[in-house]
């Protein structure tokens, strides 16, 4: 699909095939239903305004490059995904989107205004401006797996304005109760938990 404007359509990105959206594709209040993995989709020039992006199969290690999301509601599971762009917001962006129904772990938001972004609820947590929390994180004693995760989150350029993790995953990997992980995380400057 390319060089067109679509409104109120349902677009399916199927498993085991490559779906390319763009260039010059505008989606207004459309629903994108995706079963694709990171090798099965590309967005070389998409503007999605409104609507829903529903990832039916967990999407891992994907950078939503070449796509501009405005007021889109995200559903499904995202692991290691990047939203926005490291260098050029004219190439990729995310603005005023709703991630409250999504599951997210090891995800980053790049060069965007987080004020208009709705975040997932606990056990998801969000570390705003992770690079600014690095000195604090390195100065503390952490359980091994949590220290590694926080080290990765805070070892980031300033273009990363937020890093999201799933405390449930950390609890499983570290063997610690969720309540203990929450107490540890809440000490970090810039960390937010949505109830």
């Amino acid at each position: 699909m390319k060089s067109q404007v679509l409104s109120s359509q349902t677009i399916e990105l199927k498993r085991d095939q490559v779906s390319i959206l763009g260039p010059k594709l505008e989606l207004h209040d459309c629903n994108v239903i995706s079963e694709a993995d990171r090798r099965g989709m590309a967005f070389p020039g998409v503007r999605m305004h409104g609507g829903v992006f529903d990832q039916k199969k967990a999407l891992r290690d994907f950078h939503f490059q070449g796509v501009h999301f405005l007021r889109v509601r995200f559903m499904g599971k995202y692991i290691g995904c990047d939203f926005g762009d490291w260098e050029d917001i004219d190439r990729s962006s995310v603005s005023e989107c709703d991630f409250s129904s999504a599951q997210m772990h090891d995800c980053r938001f790049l060069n965007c205004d987080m004020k208009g972004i709705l975040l997932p609820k606990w056990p998801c947590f969000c570390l705003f401006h992770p690079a600014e929390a690095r000195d604090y994180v390195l100065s503390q004693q952490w359980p091994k797996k949590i220290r590694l995760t926080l080290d990765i989150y805070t070892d980031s350029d300033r273009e990363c304005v937020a890093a999201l993790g799933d405390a449930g995953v950390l609890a499983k990997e570290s063997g610690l109760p969720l309540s203990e992980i929450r107490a540890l995380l809440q000490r970090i400057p810039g960390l937010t938990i949505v109830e």
Side-chain angles (χ1 to χ4, degrees), residues 13-79:
L13 310 180
K14 297 190 187 234
R15 187 180 316 194
D16 300 325
Q17 73 180 41
V18 176
S19 299
I20 300 173
L21 300 182
K24 298 180 182 174
L25 178 65
E26 288 191 30
L27 305 176
H28 295 274
D29 298 316
C30 291
N31 292 330
V32 176
I33 311 297
S34 173
E35 293 184 352
D37 64 16
R38 66 186 173 96
R39 296 172 312 234
M41 58 184 169
F43 303 104
V46 178
R47 292 190 176 275
M48 186 170 179
H49 298 193
V52 175
F53 192 100
D54 189 356
Q55 184 64 37
K56 295 294 188 185
K57 176 186 174 188
L59 181 62
R60 295 177 183 274
D61 304 321
F62 186 76
H63 183 179
F64 282 92
Q65 193 165 25
V67 60
H68 297 275
F69 292 115
L70 175 63
R71 292 190 290 277
V72 174
R73 182 173 173 227
F74 285 83
M75 301 174 72
K77 192 169 190 176
Y78 303 86
I79 301 166

Side-chain angles (χ1 to χ4, degrees), residues 13 24 30 32 38 61 82 84 93-94 98 129-130 160 165 173:
L13 310 180
K24 298 180 182 174
C30 291
V32 176
R38 66 186 173 96
D61 304 321
D82 288 346
S93 64
V94 57
D98 181 353
H129 307 290
C160 178
E173 291 176 349

